[in-house]
């Protein structure tokens, strides 16, 4: 079983320390949610996991499938089976959703078998249609240029279709974009719920309590000031919805 293991992670942006000793393990088959107030480093964690060059890891480790991934490029991490959804996906005019997905899928296949000739096109088309049906998507979507003029909701659909096609072992979704409306939240949650199972581990990062009304996490973590300060089951999300974060702050203040 694949694990994503984050140990005592310290990350700085432009000399400022943002993550201050964060530890977390996500296994295949588990759904974890990270919540927390704005500015606590949630997106920093997501960008660091995907290997964004501006985020400097100054301590700790990130291992995936027992491999130290800190030295790996973002595309190498992806081919290994880690899926990182972009909060602000870029448009690629001229490349259709289908072509993009097929080349991403083929490069993943080549990791497993360097001699792989790529998925035959009829097989790919059939698979793509099945996945689009599962996600209740119009088949025309596959022929559009990736993210080119996509609405927020369509970008989310493209992201979830990517998840459904690439079948990663661990997916990290940063849903903190304040521009996301309730429909987009629903698209993401329905997609995750449709794909969840023993083969997929999910880490959803959100400041929307209500996302967790749709996605049922097994574990909920609260992040504050660059660390995970509280972990629990789904009931923790409900408690936060009712009581906010102040009780956690008080608890931390008492402890010091
Ligand atoms: P969250 O996603 O929890 O709202 P972020 O990870 O986006 O938090 O931000 C954490 C902190 O890092 C904030 O104080 C923010 O101002 C700072 N920060 C984020 N990105 C940058 C950047 N590119 N340059 C400088 N500071 C940044
Ligand atoms: Mg954020």
């Amino acid at each position: 079983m694949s694990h994503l293991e984050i140990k005592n992670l310290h990350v700085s942006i432009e000399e400022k320390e943002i993550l201050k000793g964060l530890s977390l393990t996500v296994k295949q088959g588990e759904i974890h949610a990270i919540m927390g107030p704005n500015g606590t480093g949630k997106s920093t964690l997501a960008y660091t996991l995907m290997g964004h060059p501006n985020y400097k890891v100054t301590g700790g480790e990130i291992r995936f499938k027992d491999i130290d991934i800190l030295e790996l490029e973002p595309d190498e991490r992806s081919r290994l089976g880690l899926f990182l959804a972009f909060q602000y996906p870029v448009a690629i005019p001229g490349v259709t959703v289908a072509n993009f997905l097929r080349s991403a899928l083929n490069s993943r296949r080549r990791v497993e078998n360097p001699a792989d000739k790529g998925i035959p096109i009829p097989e790919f088309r059939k698979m793509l249609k099945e996945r689009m049906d599962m996600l209740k998507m119009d088949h025309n979507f596959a022929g559009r240029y990736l993210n080119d003029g996509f609405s927020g909701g369509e970008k989310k659909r493209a992201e979830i279709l990517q998840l459904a096609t690439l079948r990663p072992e661990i997916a990290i979704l940063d849903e903190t974009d304040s521009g996301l409306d309730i429909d987009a939240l629903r698209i993401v949650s329905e997609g995750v719920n449709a794909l969840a199972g023993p083969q997929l581990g999910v880490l959803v990062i959100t400041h929307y309590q209500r996302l967790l009304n749709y996605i049922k996490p097994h574990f909920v973590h609260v992040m504050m000031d660059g660390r995970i300060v509280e972990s629990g089951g789904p009931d923790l999300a409900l408690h936060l919805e009712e009581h906010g974060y102040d009780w956690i702050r008080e608890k931390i203040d008492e402890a010091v």
Side-chain angles (χ1 to χ4, degrees):
M1 196 176 38
S2 299
H3 280 58
L4 174 67
E5 215 175 344
I6 305 165
K7 269 196 209 151
N8 195 25
L9 187 66
H10 290 256
V11 174
S12 297
I13 314 170
E14 291 164 7
E15 312 295 309
K16 185 179 161 211
E17 185 166 64
I18 309 290
L19 298 187
K20 303 171 183 174
L22 185 142
S23 299
L24 178 70
T25 299
V26 180
K27 298 178 185 165
Q28 252 181 316
E30 295 177 348
I31 301 180
H32 292 250
I34 293 188
M35 313 186 65
N38 265 328
T40 52
K42 301 185 299 299
S43 295
T44 300
L45 174 64
Y47 283 119
T48 305
L49 290 171
M50 59 175 100
H52 192 294
N54 291 359
Y55 296 78
K56 197 160 165 263
V57 176
T58 57
E61 50 181 350
I62 308 176
R63 302 180 73 81
F64 178 53
K65 297 180 171 174
D66 278 328
I67 296 167
D68 172 5
I69 63 164
L70 282 176
E71 299 307 316
L72 301 184
E73 296 298 323
D75 62 311
E76 294 171 313
R77 298 180 191 203
S78 155
R79 286 196 296 264
L80 208 56
L82 197 60
F83 177 88
L84 301 144
F86 288 93
Q87 209 175 336
Y88 304 103
V90 287
I92 316 185
V95 175
T96 62
V97 169
N99 279 337
F100 171 76
L101 290 174
R102 192 160 56 87
S103 47
L105 183 67
N106 284 341
S107 63
R108 262 213 84 184
R109 285 165 62 114
R110 276 193 298 273
V111 171
E112 264 139 54
N113 172 16
D116 188 271
K117 295 274 194 299
I119 183 169
I121 289 181
E123 190 188 320
F124 174 73
R125 286 214 179 107
K126 184 166 169 279
M127 183 206 67
L128 192 58
K129 279 183 184 153
E130 281 168 10
R131 303 285 147 85
M132 291 174 91
D133 288 341
M134 180 174 83
L135 300 170
K136 299 188 189 72
M137 293 171 73
D138 192 315
H139 290 180
N140 290 337
F141 194 74
R144 292 180 58 189
Y145 292 149
L146 186 67
N147 291 322
D148 193 20
F150 281 18
S151 68
E154 285 168 338
K155 284 182 186 166
K156 285 290 138 189
R157 276 184 218 283
E159 179 182 300
I160 294 300
L161 185 61
Q162 230 185 102
L163 183 60
T165 310
L166 297 182
R167 293 291 166 116
E169 280 102 335
I170 304 283
I172 295 139
L173 307 164
D174 186 359
E175 299 308 329
T176 36
D177 190 339
S178 52
L180 275 191
D181 57 15
I182 196 79
D183 286 339
L185 289 181
R186 200 170 288 137
I187 293 163
V188 171
S189 349
E190 283 173 359
V192 168
N193 289 336
L195 298 169
Q199 299 308 315
L200 178 66
V202 182
L203 177 61
V204 245
I205 301 174
T206 183
H207 66 206
Y208 287 107
Q209 248 100 298
R210 55 186 181 174
L211 181 71
L212 305 181
N213 295 336
Y214 302 106
I215 296 182
K216 297 285 173 231
H218 305 109
F219 305 95
V220 175
H221 311 276
V222 178
M223 189 166 162
M224 272 185 197
D225 196 25
R227 284 185 203 95
I228 288 179
V229 293
E230 188 80 31
S231 294
D235 47 315
L236 178 57
L238 296 176
H239 193 80
L240 288 169
E241 183 151 27
E242 217 172 308
H243 303 283
Y245 293 108
D246 285 351
W247 62 277
I248 300 180
R249 283 198 186 93
E250 282 159 22
K251 207 165 120 178
I252 297 169
D253 289 346
E254 274 165 29
V256 290

